[in-house]
Amino acid sequence: MAAPLSDGDRRKQISVRGIAGLGDVAEVRKSFNRHLHFTLVKDRNVATPRDYYFALAHTVRDHLVGRWIRTQQHYYERDPKRIYYLSLEFYMGRTLQNTMVNLGLQNACDEAIYQLGLDLEELEEIEEDAGLGNGGLGRLAACFLDSMATLGLAAYGYGIRYEFGIFNQKIVDGWQVEEADDWLRYGNPWEKARPEYMLPVHFYGRVEHTPDGVKWIDTQIVLAMPYDTPVPGYKNNTVNTMRLWSAKAPNDFNLQEFNMGDYIEAVLDRNLAENISRVLYPNDNFFEGKELRLKQEYFVVAATLQDIIRRFKSSKFGCRDPVRTCFETFPDKVAIQLNDTHPALSIPELMRILVDVEKVEWDKAWEITKRTCAYTNHTVLPEALERWPVSMFEKLLPRHLEIIYALNQMHLDRVAALYPGDIDRLRRMSVIEEGDCKRINMAHLCVIGSHAVNGVARIHSDIVKNSVFKDFYELEPEKFQNKTNGITPRRWLLLCNPGLADIIAEKIGEGFITDLSQLKKLLDFIDNETFIRDVAKVKQENKLKFAAYLEEQYKVKINPMSMFDVQVKRIHEYKRQLLNCLHAITLYNRIRCNPSKSFVPRTIMIGGKAAPGYHMAKMIIKLITSIGEVINNDPYVGDKLKVIFLENYRVSLAEKVIPAADLSQQISTAGTEASGTGNMKFMVNGALTIGTMDGANVEMAEEAGEENLFIFGMRVEDVEALDRKGYNAREYYESLPELRQAIDQISSGFFSPRDPGCFRDVVNMLMYHDRFKVFADYEAYIKCQGQVDQLFMDPREWTRKVIRNIACSGKFSSDRTITEYAREIWGVEPSPTAIPPPNLPRN
């Protein structure tokens, strides 16, 4: 008789390997039915479409779990250097289709769902966007997570699990109205709560200097509950983790009130602590110095750093006892990337832990901190820079304020030694800004506390070195780098434009999906008539599909044969949606003036959200909708011109509109858009770009040839020259009749007959205090749009330019961006070998 099994041997039967699904059609159907029955507790007679979506989501998630567990196991055994990407925003969008694409499950799921009499696309549309970001910065973080997993890096995204993401935008009477985004209402099948890793975060209190070191005492505690979301790489069996923190009040919260007998009040007050993770601040490129926002920034940093240090101390899988106690090797095992200054408190917090808690000597702690942290700058707009009042720190984070003062003193001593007597330089370079209200300049803190500082496009990194951080660059030029942004080709080509991905794969194979530079091979087909026809056909199909979507969702009828002229991005004066408006009005006036002349038909689509407190941005939306009202209802215009405002622009809408666009508008004033990433999405999806020499447009023009984009307007040098001379809008108004006519129409109430004075603020801004010089580029823009029309009338030439653009877009993959971060900032190598799948032995 066999010896009885020990408990350890019995436990070995608890294994992922035996239950890892193969992902064939029959198995997907079976799993779908099982989840509908056992997870959702429904049968087909009462199941709703949403139930079917959740059953499919759980089925697909099952295929992630084995790979997820195995990936984490693999990291514990290999103990690689880990990359921590800290961001207050992760603009993830939907997860279902992306997971199917990256696991290679799409065909099996499509067939299984079809066999069950359901429509996969219909189910995909039920999923809520995870809108935990405002725009470019948050979406970049999401693309980076996809690339880090695809490149096999041991990487973690850390952020906040906002209960309410970016607001839903409704347009009512032409005005933006905000609605709360209750994205978790029906539950989130992609996240796993991890209460066993809950951590305390301290606020307020006071600092005591004792013989045993510094103590931060009498603090208020908020608990950070982690929720983990799997991040699958593309067909490499790697599944990384995005860990988002949610705020929980401790059970003894408000003990005083409990003891005073007001039990009910005390329990209700738990909301105050839990408000920390309630809502995403909806500002893009704007700093609003609210205490709740500072609490959010410290909350994510404090929880994340405890987690990083716990993981550093315990290296073998499944072991939670500390084994590493010496921090010498910390920077060899940990890289922390700060996505803008929002997680800047990582620097003083890491110092606090090393010095106060782990008793590391100050200078050693500072060396470790600098070697660990790196900072990405995302904007040069002064109103976007975070400058927190010292008084707020004093109250909320007293120990961090002491540490910042000490770090600043050290820094200024060094500057003073190198530049004796240069008091103005000390003032410019200080982390503390003196004035009516003393402030902490978080960007300066990031620069002194990091070993690498990067901009996000070459032109932006040059501006960072030569103006924003000029003094710091003179001090430590070796710190400053460029890392031009990129986008993930999985979501932004394969997932959103399968028709285009298919015809590309037919010609050059599938290698481009993980090595986008292979698109260069398409240059061989630039004169291939079949390929030219196929590219044009895919674009036309995408346009028809988007036109049908607009008609179904918004009851708007558009001409699918017209040029789809698209500007989608956050509404901001620097992005110059107003320049686009002036072009629309100018076209309208030309059509009215000469109705019998033949015009290239256009559908101008503008979409994007305005920050709720940004008056001018909201006026710009009202202007766009008002111009649309007039133009779209003018019988003289007919099908020649339409102006559409795309309501509630978000990731899932971008996936529909970008593949359908003919023309991409990237028209910010030169020197204001750090990079832009929408520009790259349009390029890889076969739209041509009209744009200024700003952000990554410069590198797009360099890759594809300036003659293959529609480049117009002032360069950075011209803008600087105009600043020195003094920009006078009236000169342009007086000398350009079409501009004057357009402005007079806006001003007189032609577009707002029921409220003639509606747009006086907009006109007043354009005429007397326009920081972004809209009129200075008007003439060049209108002329350039004329060249767009000319080319659009020659479909073959247009499509050849499209193919050249697609072929030259390879540089703008986030895989390339992340490979550069890995080698030049984090000191790790991407790993090309796939982890074995969960149904095979690990070795």
Coordinates of all heavy atoms in Angstrom, one line a residue, residues 184-211:
L184 N -17.6 52.0 -12.2 CA -17.5 50.8 -11.4 C -19.0 50.3 -11.1 O -19.1 49.3 -10.4 CB -16.7 50.9 -10.2 CG -15.2 51.2 -10.4 CD1 -14.6 51.6 -9.1 CD2 -14.5 49.9 -10.9
R185 N -20.0 51.0 -11.5 CA -21.4 50.7 -11.2 C -21.7 49.2 -11.3 O -22.3 48.6 -10.4 CB -22.3 51.5 -12.1 CG -23.8 51.4 -11.8 CD -24.6 52.4 -12.6 NE -24.1 52.4 -14.0 CZ -23.8 53.5 -14.7 NH1 -23.9 54.7 -14.2 NH2 -23.4 53.4 -16.0
Y186 N -21.3 48.6 -12.4 CA -21.7 47.2 -12.6 C -20.6 46.2 -12.2 O -20.6 45.0 -12.4 CB -22.1 46.9 -14.1 CG -23.2 47.7 -14.5 CD1 -23.1 48.9 -15.3 CD2 -24.5 47.4 -14.1 CE1 -24.2 49.6 -15.7 CE2 -25.6 48.1 -14.5 CZ -25.4 49.2 -15.3 OH -26.5 50.0 -15.7
G187 N -19.5 46.7 -11.6 CA -18.3 45.9 -11.2 C -17.3 45.9 -12.3 O -17.6 46.2 -13.5
N188 N -16.1 45.5 -12.0 CA -15.0 45.5 -12.9 C -14.4 44.1 -12.9 O -13.7 43.7 -12.0 CB -13.9 46.6 -12.5 CG -12.7 46.5 -13.3 OD1 -12.6 45.8 -14.3 ND2 -11.7 47.3 -12.9
P189 N -14.6 43.3 -14.0 CA -14.1 41.9 -14.0 C -12.6 41.8 -14.1 O -12.1 40.7 -13.9 CB -14.8 41.4 -15.2 CG -15.1 42.5 -16.1 CD -15.3 43.7 -15.2
W190 N -11.9 42.9 -14.4 CA -10.5 42.8 -14.7 C -9.6 43.0 -13.5 O -8.4 42.8 -13.5 CB -10.1 43.8 -15.8 CG -10.9 43.6 -17.0 CD1 -12.0 44.4 -17.4 CD2 -10.9 42.5 -17.9 NE1 -12.5 43.9 -18.6 CE2 -11.9 42.7 -18.9 CE3 -10.1 41.3 -18.0 CZ2 -12.1 41.8 -19.9 CZ3 -10.3 40.4 -19.0 CH2 -11.3 40.7 -20.0
E191 N -10.2 43.5 -12.4 CA -9.4 43.8 -11.2 C -9.6 42.7 -10.1 O -10.6 42.1 -10.1 CB -9.8 45.2 -10.6 CG -11.2 45.2 -10.0 CD -11.6 46.5 -9.4 OE1 -10.9 47.5 -9.7 OE2 -12.7 46.6 -8.8
K192 N -8.5 42.6 -9.3 CA -8.6 41.7 -8.1 C -8.2 42.5 -6.9 O -7.0 43.0 -6.8 CB -7.6 40.5 -8.3 CG -7.5 39.6 -7.1 CD -8.8 38.7 -7.0 CE -8.8 37.9 -5.7 NZ -9.2 38.6 -4.5
A193 N -9.1 42.6 -5.9 CA -8.7 43.3 -4.7 C -7.7 42.5 -3.9 O -7.8 41.2 -4.0 CB -10.0 43.5 -3.8
R194 N -6.8 43.1 -3.3 CA -5.7 42.4 -2.5 C -5.7 42.9 -1.1 O -4.7 43.6 -0.7 CB -4.4 42.6 -3.1 CG -4.2 42.1 -4.6 CD -3.9 40.6 -4.5 NE -3.6 40.1 -5.9 CZ -3.8 38.9 -6.2 NH1 -4.3 38.0 -5.3 NH2 -3.5 38.5 -7.4
P195 N -6.7 42.7 -0.3 CA -6.8 43.2 1.1 C -5.6 42.8 2.0 O -5.2 43.5 2.9 CB -8.1 42.7 1.6 CG -8.6 41.7 0.7 CD -7.9 41.9 -0.6
E196 N -5.0 41.6 1.6 CA -3.9 41.1 2.4 C -2.7 42.0 2.3 O -1.7 41.9 3.1 CB -3.5 39.7 2.1 CG -3.0 39.5 0.7 CD -4.0 39.3 -0.4 OE1 -5.2 39.8 -0.3 OE2 -3.7 38.7 -1.5
Y197 N -2.6 42.9 1.3 CA -1.5 43.8 1.1 C -1.9 45.3 1.5 O -1.2 46.2 1.1 CB -0.9 43.8 -0.3 CG -0.2 42.5 -0.6 CD1 -0.8 41.5 -1.5 CD2 1.0 42.1 0.0 CE1 -0.1 40.3 -1.8 CE2 1.6 40.9 -0.3 CZ 1.1 40.0 -1.2 OH 1.7 38.9 -1.5
M198 N -3.0 45.4 2.2 CA -3.4 46.8 2.6 C -2.3 47.4 3.5 O -1.6 46.8 4.3 CB -4.7 46.7 3.5 CG -5.3 48.0 3.8 SD -7.0 48.0 3.4 CE -7.6 46.8 4.6
L199 N -2.1 48.7 3.3 CA -1.0 49.5 4.0 C -1.5 50.8 4.6 O -2.4 51.4 4.0 CB 0.1 49.8 2.9 CG 0.8 48.6 2.3 CD1 1.7 49.0 1.1 CD2 1.7 47.9 3.4
P200 N -0.9 51.2 5.7 CA -1.3 52.5 6.3 C -0.5 53.7 5.6 O 0.6 53.6 5.2 CB -0.8 52.3 7.7 CG 0.4 51.4 7.6 CD 0.1 50.5 6.5
V201 N -1.2 54.8 5.5 CA -0.6 56.0 5.0 C -0.9 57.1 6.0 O -2.1 57.2 6.5 CB -1.2 56.4 3.6 CG1 -0.7 57.8 3.2 CG2 -0.9 55.4 2.6
H202 N 0.1 57.9 6.4 CA 0.0 58.9 7.5 C -0.1 60.3 6.9 O 0.5 60.6 5.9 CB 1.2 58.8 8.4 CG 1.4 57.5 9.1 ND1 1.0 57.3 10.4 CD2 1.9 56.3 8.6 CE1 1.3 56.0 10.7 NE2 1.8 55.4 9.7
F203 N -1.0 61.1 7.6 CA -1.1 62.5 7.3 C -1.1 63.3 8.6 O -1.3 62.8 9.6 CB -2.5 62.8 6.6 CG -2.6 62.2 5.2 CD1 -3.3 61.0 5.0 CD2 -2.0 62.8 4.1 CE1 -3.4 60.4 3.7 CE2 -2.1 62.2 2.8 CZ -2.8 61.0 2.6
Y204 N -0.8 64.6 8.4 CA -0.9 65.6 9.5 C 0.2 65.2 10.6 O 1.3 64.8 10.3 CB -2.3 65.7 10.1 CG -3.3 66.1 9.1 CD1 -4.2 65.2 8.6 CD2 -3.3 67.4 8.6 CE1 -5.2 65.6 7.6 CE2 -4.3 67.8 7.6 CZ -5.2 66.9 7.1 OH -6.1 67.3 6.2
G205 N -0.2 65.4 11.9 CA 0.7 65.1 13.0 C 1.8 66.1 13.1 O 1.7 67.2 12.7
R206 N 2.9 65.7 13.9 CA 4.0 66.6 14.2 C 5.3 65.8 14.2 O 5.3 64.6 14.3 CB 3.8 67.3 15.5 CG 3.6 66.4 16.7 CD 3.0 67.2 17.9 NE 2.8 66.2 19.0 CZ 3.7 65.8 19.8 NH1 5.0 66.3 19.7 NH2 3.5 64.9 20.8
V207 N 6.4 66.5 14.2 CA 7.7 65.9 14.1 C 8.4 66.1 15.5 O 8.4 67.2 16.0 CB 8.6 66.5 13.0 CG1 9.9 65.8 12.9 CG2 7.8 66.4 11.7
E208 N 9.0 65.0 16.0 CA 9.8 65.0 17.2 C 11.2 64.6 16.9 O 11.4 63.5 16.3 CB 9.1 64.1 18.2 CG 9.1 64.6 19.6 CD 8.2 63.8 20.5 OE1 8.4 62.6 20.6 OE2 7.3 64.4 21.1
H209 N 12.2 65.4 17.3 CA 13.6 65.0 17.1 C 14.1 64.5 18.5 O 14.1 65.2 19.5 CB 14.4 66.3 16.7 CG 14.1 66.8 15.3 ND1 14.8 66.5 14.2 CD2 13.0 67.5 14.9 CE1 14.3 67.0 13.2 NE2 13.2 67.6 13.5
T210 N 14.4 63.2 18.5 CA 14.7 62.5 19.7 C 16.2 61.9 19.5 O 16.7 61.9 18.4 CB 13.8 61.3 20.0 OG1 14.1 60.2 19.0 CG2 12.3 61.7 19.8
P211 N 16.8 61.5 20.7 CA 18.1 60.9 20.5 C 18.2 59.7 19.6 O 19.2 59.4 19.0 CB 18.5 60.5 22.0 CG 17.6 61.4 22.8 CD 16.3 61.6 22.1

